[in-house]
Amino acid sequence: MYADHEHEDRPLHYPESFPAAIAALRDRLPAIANGDARSAAEAADIAGWMPELAADSDATEAEWTPLAAGSRELAVLLPRVAVGEAEALERANATLDRLAAVVSEIGEEEFEVTPHEPHDHGDDHDR
């Protein structure tokens, strides 16, 4: 019963998948660079959720590692974008490009999350 309700309290800007998180951050970057505090706060949330979104996918640990690293990099860059650092904006866009390339290489279908099924993350913790 709990599993049916576990995601009800997530904010509206919670992305449905890792690729959706990339798209959401791309959409928000221009507004963040222009000083939009709400977009910056939502983007910080999204970057923080990205490792969880990657873990909820069917990506293996080896595939997950660069996704998590890129997510952490974004979490550091986004506040710098918010204060107008042009270099940080360029690096954030490059990081998003790199993450999108990894997703493409893995295959976007691996990131389609079925909400109530267990996922094999390539380790033995589910056994």
Side-chain angles (χ1 to χ4, degrees):
M1 183 166 135
Y2 176 75
D4 291 339
H5 303 287
E6 69 183 87
H7 302 298
E8 285 181 3
D9 60 346
R10 289 193 173 153
L12 292 176
H13 61 282
Y14 190 91
E16 64 187 37
S17 66
F18 195 89
I22 293 171
L25 290 176
R26 279 194 201 282
D27 289 347
R28 285 171 175 78
L29 273 180
I32 296 167
N34 286 324
D36 183 332
R38 181 178 179 176
S39 291
E42 289 179 354
D45 289 344
I46 294 166
W49 295 323
M50 288 177 86
E52 173 187 341
L53 290 164
D56 282 346
S57 73
D58 289 330
T60 66
E61 184 177 348
E63 294 167 334
W64 178 86
T65 300
L67 299 175
S71 302
R72 287 189 299 272
E73 184 177 340
L74 286 168
V76 170
L77 290 170
L78 290 170
R80 294 175 47 201
V81 172
V83 296
E85 280 188 40
E87 179 188 349
L89 178 59
E90 286 179 33
R91 286 184 56 200
N93 275 310
T95 300
L96 289 171
D97 289 344
R98 190 173 70 247
L99 290 173
V102 172
V103 166
S104 179
E105 186 176 306
I106 293 169
E108 241 179 273
E109 65 278 357
E110 298 297 322
F111 295 91
E112 294 175 5
V113 177
T114 305
H116 306 299
E117 290 183 15
H119 300 285
D120 179 7
H121 298 287
D123 56 21
D124 293 332
H125 75 283
D126 291 335
R127 295 180 193 171

